[in-house]
Amino acid sequence: MAVLTVENLKHIYSIGTPFENVGIHDVSLTIGQGERICLLGHTGSGKSTFVQHLNALLQPSSGSVLLDGENINKNKITRRDVKRRVGLVFQYPEYQLFEETVYADIAFGPKNMKLGKEEIDERVHEAARFAGVDDSLLPCSPLELSGGQKRRIAIAGVIAMRPEILILDEPTAGLDPAGSRQIFENIRSYRENSGATVIVVSHSMEDAARFFDRLIVFDHGTVCMDGSPEEVFSRADKLTEIGLNVPKATELARALYRRGVLPDAAVYTHEQLLRAVLQAGGEAAC
Amino acid sequence: MLKDITLGQYFPGETPVHRLDPRTKLILVVLYIIALFQADAWPSYLLVILVTLICMGISKISLKNIFKGLKPMLFIIALTAILNLFYTQGTPVREGWIITWEGIDRAVKMMLRITLLITGTFLLTYTTSPMALTDGLEMLMRPLKKLKVPVHEMTLMMSMALRFIPTLIEETDKIMSAQKARGADFETGSLTQRAKALLPILVPLFVSSFRRADELAIAMESRCYHGGEGRTRMNQLKYGRNDYIALLLGVLFLAAVNVMKHFGL
């Protein structure tokens, strides 16, 4: 079932000035309930512009975005409501923290939804748990914590609104591998518990292969590939052509395949590669 | 959208006015302002208007652009005109009226004077990049160093402020979007509510400005910046033939206005 439908979406920046610039160009997509989607594409390919359309932060130059069949840009009220149902975490979200305590910052979203005090309290604790923020941090000032902790607090601030669709724009940029993995685990547990649809913008092919069912590749403001990791990564040449690559494991598997070590190169994660190599080794030993 | 605001208002171009040395243009603007305030009677006003139009023609700045810039000043211009209209002594337009012929005359002249004043300075900022402008200012104010005025530091601060305006606008835009995504509302509510709604923008903006300032200071120090003493520059300002001609014309213009004033024109 489609929750979000994007029809012929087009966005032009600074329309009517000499600085006119096409951000995205004729994008049509449907996104189903509970999907795990990763948006890929090099810098400036239009992914960030695209996600800002999904919660009506940007208004399309032409085309429309439908949430449960209703145009989200119909009027002021639909534009406000969509922000509660579609949660968007920006790139480097730690720079938007402003409250005196972590608790107050996470509560900012629910408070704007005019919820009751108890409801807010419940949501703050729940969101903190999902985002991996320890309860002992809640009374601290968010500005004095480490980068990774700040990032998790900012994500909790969006999760506290209990969005049906959670969008994160490069949530792991600038974090170490352990921190990145933990953030993906947190997102996964939020999705499993809430049934939310998750859309993540990422540059990491490894993460794309490991955590997502559907990959959408942007290039020059249009969708150039849309499919499962298997489908997308099997077209390695096309990916290289638009300035992206395949996961390291796939690269290695392809090299091994060319030398006749592996029977095929359909390998996308380290675990799969390990299994394939062990299997091939086992057969050779026999 | 915040991004659409034009700041610094520099229109890149390749006209002779654009190519003039920024120092020349600064001096010319000062001469122009002096001349403008010397002009008293209509003939000299007409001369000033004519010169302004010629300069606009050479620098290819359209009237439309000038009017766009004048918009925020409309209130002040209108207020000056109204005050002059009602508070000038003389012969009333009609028996018993407060408005006098002299008042109308003065009101129109004052409006023209302010408009021309703004137009003249616009011609400077429209044709000179902010960096060239601060360079020119630093060179012109150099003698003040003898009086222990920190000229170099002042102009450095000016150029840094100008440099960071677009960065800060972009950042404000980003923070606003992020807070909007969390349901913040900047458009409705009473004045106090709206002022309060700015807090989620201002706090992160201040925090990141301080961080940026810190980083900039470290970056400058690690490249051995130690103030203006003995510092040379990559783009030396050089006076050309055109600059001398322009300055000469400027002085002639000022002289002409003064001569006209002497003869009551």
Side-chain angles (χ1 to χ4, degrees), chain A residues 13-14 17 52 55 57-58 76 83 86 88 90-91 95-98 105-106 108-109 112 143 157-158 161, chain B residues 1 3-4 6 171 174-185 187-188 199-200 203-204 207-208 211:
Chain A
Y13 281 107
S14 309
T17 70
Q52 287 184 58
N55 73 345
L57 270 177
L58 291 177
K76 245 182 161 168
K83 292 190 179 70
V86 181
L88 174 59
F90 274 83
Q91 235 174 69
Y95 294 142
Q96 75 205 32
L97 301 174
F98 71 99
D105 212 289
I106 299 178
F108 181 68
N112 285 328
L143 302 177
V158 172
M161 296 170 79
Chain B
M1 228 14 197
K3 256 184 216 153
D4 299 337
T6 46
E171 186 130 331
K174 236 163 83 188
I175 296 170
M176 265 175 92
S177 298
Q179 308 297 25
K180 266 194 212 155
R182 292 208 279 165
D185 182 6
E187 275 129 39
T188 56
L199 206 65
V203 174
V207 172
S208 74
R211 187 176 44 84

Side-chain angles (χ1 to χ4, degrees), chain A residues 3-5 65-72 82 85-86 165:
Chain A
V3 262
L4 263 179
T5 312
V65 181
L66 311 174
L67 181 63
D68 283 339
E70 198 188 6
N71 192 336
I72 61 168
V82 72
R85 297 181 57 193
V86 181
I165 300 169

Side-chain angles (χ1 to χ4, degrees), chain B residues 10-36:
Chain B
Y10 171 55
F11 282 87
E14 268 300 313
T15 68
V17 179
H18 280 85
R19 278 196 297 266
L20 280 183
D21 191 288
R23 286 171 291 179
T24 313
K25 281 189 269 191
L26 277 163
I27 296 169
L28 283 176
V29 167
V30 173
L31 292 179
Y32 174 85
I33 292 172
I34 297 172
L36 182 59

Side-chain angles (χ1 to χ4, degrees), chain B residues 7 130-131 134 153-169 216:
Chain B
L7 273 155
M131 287 299 153
T134 44
E153 283 74 10
M154 275 162 61
T155 50
L156 181 76
M157 275 196 281
M158 220 172 105
S159 50
M160 271 201 278
L162 286 169
R163 153 72 185 76
F164 277 101
I165 286 172
T167 315
L168 285 177
I169 289 179
L216 184 66

